[in-house]
Amino acid sequence: MVPALAGRSSSSHDATAQRLAAEFVPIPPATVERCVADVEACVTHLGLDPTPEIIERVAREHLTGMIKSRPPSGRPVRSRGRF
């Protein structure tokens, strides 16, 4: 967990991380937990109220970006040579 949030883990934080880990199975649960903690830290840093709804919505956007940035499975890697 992020050091700034080490003592702040709550049941809503844990529930959010568990829900998102179940939704984003290809991403390791530890990465999902770290994403949720990072989003909470960023929201707090910006002076906003870190409600579970905001944390989940922003973390879901970040995790979706991680999934979409992965190359499709089985796609051949192209080299700079001739085809």
Side-chain angles (χ1 to χ4, degrees):
M1 187 174 286
V2 177
L5 300 175
R8 276 183 102 185
S9 183
S10 66
S11 61
S12 65
H13 173 91
D14 295 338
T16 300
Q18 288 175 351
R19 247 188 328 277
L20 291 172
E23 185 177 335
F24 294 93
V25 176
I27 299 176
T31 301
V32 174
E33 170 67 31
R34 189 172 59 244
C35 178
V36 170
D38 288 350
V39 167
E40 186 173 354
C42 289
V43 168
T44 302
H45 175 75
L46 292 172
L48 302 172
D49 184 26
T51 64
E53 295 79 17
I54 291 174
I55 302 300
E56 186 166 345
R57 188 176 334 138
V58 175
R60 181 176 280 111
E61 289 295 323
H62 287 218
L63 295 166
T64 299
M66 287 181 194
I67 294 291
K68 288 186 174 186
S69 69
R70 291 182 174 182
S73 177
R75 186 168 111 189
V77 178
R78 299 174 110 183
S79 64
R80 292 183 179 233
R82 285 191 233 161
F83 293 98

